[in-house]
Amino acid sequence: MTEQANEAHQIEKGKNHAKTPEKASLVQSGSEDGRIPVAANHKLSDVNLIGYFREFDRDSNDGLSGQDIARLFADQVGQTLDAAEFKMLLDFLNKPPTILPLEHLHNTVSALLQEFHNAEIQESGEPLDRLATPSGPESAPLGLVLHVQTKKGKAGEFWDSENSSIQTLEKKGLSSASIYAFDWHWRAEESARNRGSCSTRQWSEKLLSLHNSMSFHLLEFLPLPFLIVAGSCAKAGYRRTLSKRSKRIGLAVKPYSIIEFDLDFRNDGLRRISAYMDHPAACFYRPKYAIQNAICQDAVVNFFLWLIHSKSSRTTFSDLQRSHPNGALRKAPLKEMWQYLKMEKDQNRNLKQQEYELGFLTWARRFLEEDLVGILEQGGSIAEAVSKKINKRLSAAIANRTSTPERKSRFARQNREILKAYYKIQYRESWHGAIVKIDKSGTLRIFVSTDQRALAISLGKRVFQKIKAYGEPTTIEFAKIGIALKVGEHIVQARSRQMLSRLKGGTAWVKQLDREVEHLETQTFASSEDTSQSMTPENGDSAITQQETGVSEAVIGGDLRHRLLSNALFHCSKWPHGSKAGRVYFRGVAIYVPKQAEVCKGVRVLRDLSAENVSHSTPCAIDATEEDPARRLGIRVTFFNKESVKRGFNHTFALN
């Protein structure tokens, strides 16, 4: 810094620490390189935040080194902690923790694990080899906690060099020889690969409590003065173990890249300094936030490795993110595979594991479903193994094109099963009265069985807009003559049997129609006459009855006769010449509707036939003789009155 900037920096620093002499010692007792070497720990040099950023702006450094983060940390604790807490921090950094002999620590942890394994197996009923074990010396100054293993087969130790996340951590500078590492939840879960909700949510409460308690007791027993917690589930579990006196500190490394620290204060002093970061493989599954997360990951590990005098690769996570800007490989990396095969041919040897890119190895392990180390130990090539499997799949695909109809049917069924699970498609044998969905293009699809294609009808965009305007579910109803789509009481679209038969896949529609009708006939329903109820006449009208009816078969065919047979809904308009009454008009016939009816909702008209040799009380053929069978015919009209009560009346009219 220039002389003027240095002077301003000293003045600003004196202001910040004038009220807390203990904090000033964190700066005054520093060594030439800004650290206070005490035991195995580095001391933090307190640099004023404003002065630091001025210096950073002039420097080409990326600001992610351990000392850079230490400066930010020192400035932030100076603003957050009170005098007593700051003194505890100084004591924590100056005095190394009391550590029991390594053999004693190891034996005690082994006993804890054995007790946990016995209880866990009894509760879960799962095999022992799916429980992971910790890695590293129990006396290590730095700990690492992840969430859960996802590998297949035997879980084994935490530090598995075949795992892509562990390989990234090794490149960063971490190793099982210098840190102690374990998973917060100890049982391996393959379902955790889906990156959805935590797989442990399916565990029983008692089983989850066993895992949480084991991790808590392990952290309480081991010293681990510094701890890195990676992943949201591990973070949530660990934070529940903190004391009420703990203090949280946030460091803005760069815009939108914030590191959180927890200083776990106890009555006897500071117990542990912990920091949080995303899982090492987060950039593969959350590429949207990968840049900010990678900066935090690099900064956290750099800081703690600087504290324990270990070297680190400054930008490992950032470099990994830049090499995979779109996340994990979603398709076969054929270009990379051919490049590796060419290298092996040119050099007349098989490539070693470290010569492959991490993204390719991650994809290859998932694609081959084999142990990559095992392939190399047997003298094989990973790229060649991938190539052989791809060729095998291509050959099988070509053979399937010329396969028998039985094979095609089987593959189609398997594909439908996959789509059923992925899109949560509802399959059912009977669809009468069921709710259906119509997409934006106006296409209706119903799924009967995975053994056949979906039954589809293109109704048009206008029908979709019409149904959308109602804002209610759409149901489908079947009758002998065809199908109808209803929204509440409104029939919005219908197709006759003849129209269905002319569709693509019409044969399947007709078969489904016959199956639905047969299913309906086997069921027992109360007849519409049994549900009718007499009511007191109003305003001089004839007897009023309540009529409940089902779907109209007649509307499907568009035939007036069938409409009158099935109690279809007819348009009702106001009577001309200013009258408040309404009327239904068809083929020269006008039916009077009382003024208390809700004209806009329409009315239902039903042909009403009396018993044989019995004249209707209000016959249509009023001029016919008593012996004329035409006197058996009447009309029943159902409507809504203005109080939204469904009413009905018998109406007599004369043909014009």
Side-chain angles (χ1 to χ4, degrees):
M1 290 188 293
T2 63
E3 184 178 350
Q4 292 84 352
N6 185 50
E7 182 179 356
H9 164 67
Q10 295 295 335
I11 293 173
E12 189 68 24
K13 182 170 63 178
K15 290 179 181 179
N16 287 343
H17 300 288
K19 296 182 181 180
T20 55
E22 297 87 347
K23 299 182 183 181
S25 65
L26 187 62
V27 183
Q28 295 169 357
S29 56
S31 60
E32 292 182 358
D33 66 347
R35 309 180 187 182
I36 303 177
V38 179
N41 296 333
H42 287 185
K43 211 50 190 95
L44 306 175
S45 65
D46 189 6
V47 179
N48 177 261
L49 192 59
I50 298 176
Y52 165 66
F53 277 130
R54 285 174 180 167
E55 183 176 1
F56 174 73
D57 290 340
R58 296 195 308 271
D59 195 354
S60 61
N61 194 329
D62 53 23
L64 298 180
S65 70
Q67 192 168 358
D68 292 331
I69 307 305
R71 290 170 179 169
L72 290 175
F73 182 85
D75 182 82
Q76 196 62 35
V77 297
Q79 299 177 31
T80 306
L81 304 183
D82 58 31
E85 291 169 340
F86 198 87
K87 186 176 184 306
M88 289 182 185
L89 174 60
L90 289 176
D91 293 340
F92 175 83
L93 295 170
N94 282 311
K95 298 175 184 178
T98 303
I99 299 177
L100 298 172
L102 180 59
E103 183 179 358
H104 175 76
L105 292 174
H106 181 75
N107 292 337
T108 305
V109 170
S110 298
L112 282 172
L113 285 172
Q114 185 62 47
E115 183 181 352
F116 163 69
H117 288 170
N118 294 336
E120 205 278 348
I121 293 171
Q122 183 177 0
E123 175 63 25
S124 67
E126 299 292 334
L128 175 63
D129 62 4
R130 294 292 289 162
L131 288 173
T133 55
S135 298
E138 288 80 0
S139 58
L142 176 61
L144 172 66
V145 180
L146 297 186
H147 177 213
V148 65
Q149 284 201 25
T150 60
K151 68 183 297 184
K152 298 179 180 180
K154 183 179 179 181
E157 283 196 14
F158 173 94
W159 205 266
D160 179 10
S161 296
E162 296 180 24
N163 184 278
S164 57
S165 297
I166 300 301
Q167 292 170 7
T168 305
L169 294 173
E170 287 177 339
K171 288 184 179 180
K172 186 65 185 172
L174 299 172
S175 71
S176 58
S178 59
I179 70 168
Y180 188 79
F182 63 94
D183 291 301
W184 188 264
H185 294 130
W186 298 75
R187 179 165 291 283
E189 287 283 355
E190 290 183 38
S191 59
R193 295 184 183 209
N194 297 330
R195 311 294 165 184
S197 59
C198 178
S199 56
T200 59
R201 292 183 180 179
Q202 307 299 325
W203 293 359
S204 66
E205 186 175 345
K206 185 177 180 181
L207 179 61
L208 189 60
S209 177
L210 280 173
H211 286 256
N212 291 335
S213 297
M214 176 61 205
S215 299
F216 167 73
H217 289 307
L218 191 60
L219 289 175
E220 285 296 299
F221 174 69
L222 296 178
L224 298 177
F226 305 112
L227 184 67
I228 299 174
V229 182
S232 57
C233 290
K235 175 182 177 180
Y238 172 71
R239 278 189 165 170
R240 286 193 288 267
T241 69
L242 296 173
S243 67
K244 294 181 179 180
R245 295 190 58 184
S246 65
K247 283 292 182 71
R248 190 159 299 160
I249 294 174
L251 302 185
V253 183
K254 287 188 177 182
Y256 306 107
S257 295
I258 300 175
I259 304 172
E260 288 186 323
F261 287 86
D262 272 324
L263 279 62
D264 192 8
F265 288 102
R266 307 287 177 89
N267 293 331
D268 56 347
L270 180 58
R271 175 72 174 86
R272 179 177 290 121
I273 297 178
S274 308
Y276 307 97
M277 70 179 196
D278 265 12
H279 191 278
C283 73
F284 291 110
Y285 303 100
R286 291 198 298 169
K288 183 178 180 180
Y289 307 102
I291 297 176
Q292 299 92 320
N293 294 337
I295 291 173
C296 291
Q297 289 169 322
D298 282 320
V300 166
V301 179
N302 292 342
F303 174 59
F304 281 115
L305 289 180
W306 179 80
L307 282 174
I308 65 173
H309 282 287
S310 292
K311 294 182 179 181
S312 65
S313 174
R314 182 176 298 189
T315 58
T316 300
F317 290 104
S318 299
D319 294 341
L320 180 63
Q321 187 278 327
R322 282 191 289 270
S323 64
H324 298 84
N326 298 321
L329 294 171
R330 303 296 181 185
K331 58 183 179 180
L334 299 179
K335 180 180 178 181
E336 292 82 354
M337 180 192 73
W338 291 119
Q339 289 175 347
Y340 291 135
L341 289 173
K342 186 176 184 302
M343 289 173 60
E344 290 182 336
K345 182 179 179 180
D346 294 342
Q347 301 176 20
N348 196 25
R349 67 177 182 87
N350 293 333
L351 296 177
K352 298 178 181 179
Q353 183 172 351
Q354 57 268 27
E355 295 180 275
Y356 290 95
E357 290 185 1
L358 181 60
F360 181 86
L361 290 176
T362 303
W363 178 88
R365 185 179 293 106
R366 188 170 59 248
F367 176 70
L368 294 174
E369 297 181 341
E370 291 184 43
D371 182 7
L372 301 185
V373 175
I375 294 175
L376 296 175
E377 288 178 349
Q378 295 174 8
S381 164
I382 296 176
E384 187 177 355
V386 170
S387 175
K388 286 182 178 179
K389 188 166 184 178
I390 290 177
N391 289 334
K392 186 177 179 180
R393 286 195 174 184
L394 289 174
S395 299
I398 294 172
N400 289 338
R401 290 182 179 179
T402 57
S403 62
T404 62
E406 292 77 12
R407 279 188 176 183
K408 290 184 178 180
S409 177
R410 185 175 73 252
F411 291 139
R413 182 171 61 253
Q414 292 172 351
N415 187 49
R416 292 187 192 107
E417 290 287 354
I418 294 172
L419 295 177
K420 174 184 177 182
Y422 187 82
Y423 291 107
K424 298 180 180 179
I425 297 174
Q426 181 186 20
Y427 281 85
R428 53 192 303 167
E429 292 184 0
S430 175
W431 279 88
H432 179 75
I435 296 176
V436 294
K437 292 183 179 179
I438 299 173
D439 61 26
K440 292 181 179 180
S441 65
T443 302
L444 162 71
R445 290 183 178 87
I446 62 174
F447 302 87
V448 180
S449 170
T450 54
D451 292 326
Q452 69 178 73
R453 292 183 176 182
L455 303 180
I457 300 179
S458 179
L459 304 173
K461 293 183 179 180
R462 289 186 179 181
V463 175
F464 170 77
Q465 295 296 337
K466 183 178 180 181
I467 291 174
K468 184 179 178 181
Y470 282 108
E472 297 180 19
T474 306
T475 58
I476 185 170
E477 298 192 6
F478 291 78
K480 289 182 179 180
I481 197 170
I483 64 171
L485 297 178
K486 296 179 63 178
V487 178
E489 293 293 327
H490 303 281
I491 297 177
V492 293
Q493 194 66 223
R495 291 289 187 273
S496 66
R497 175 187 287 267
Q498 291 78 10
M499 295 173 70
L500 291 175
S501 65
R502 291 195 295 266
L503 295 173
K504 182 179 179 180
T507 304
W509 268 111
V510 173
K511 288 182 179 179
Q512 181 65 21
L513 186 66
D514 293 336
R515 192 160 45 240
E516 295 280 359
V517 172
E518 183 180 355
H519 178 71
L520 289 172
E521 289 177 350
T522 58
Q523 297 180 344
T524 304
F525 295 98
S527 64
S528 59
E529 288 80 6
D530 294 335
T531 61
S532 53
Q533 177 181 354
S534 297
M535 304 182 69
T536 306
E538 293 183 4
N539 301 329
D541 292 330
S542 302
I544 300 174
T545 59
Q546 183 177 4
Q547 176 73 18
E548 300 293 341
T549 59
V551 65
S552 167
E553 290 188 9
V555 176
I556 297 169
D559 190 307
L560 177 61
R561 174 177 174 275
H562 287 296
R563 295 185 71 186
L564 293 173
L565 285 172
S566 55
N567 198 30
L569 188 69
F570 283 76
H571 173 71
C572 183
S573 60
K574 289 186 177 181
W575 201 273
H577 311 301
S579 173
K580 293 183 179 180
R583 70 169 180 174
V584 175
Y585 188 84
F586 52 83
R587 292 192 184 178
V589 177
I591 303 178
Y592 171 80
V593 180
K595 60 183 179 181
Q596 67 265 30
E598 283 282 9
V599 175
C600 62
K601 292 187 177 181
V603 298
R604 292 188 179 277
V605 181
L606 176 69
R607 181 213 65 175
D608 193 20
L609 193 64
S610 64
E612 191 173 356
N613 298 324
V614 176
S615 180
H616 199 281
S617 59
T618 53
C620 295
I622 54 177
D623 296 333
T625 63
E626 290 294 332
E627 295 79 15
D628 193 336
R631 295 189 62 86
R632 294 174 54 199
L633 179 63
I635 290 291
R636 178 175 295 168
V637 178
T638 308
F639 63 89
F640 286 89
N641 68 5
K642 293 183 179 180
E643 288 77 28
S644 297
V645 178
K646 198 174 185 184
R647 308 298 294 272
F649 65 93
N650 290 332
H651 183 78
T652 303
F653 66 91
L655 296 174
N656 292 339

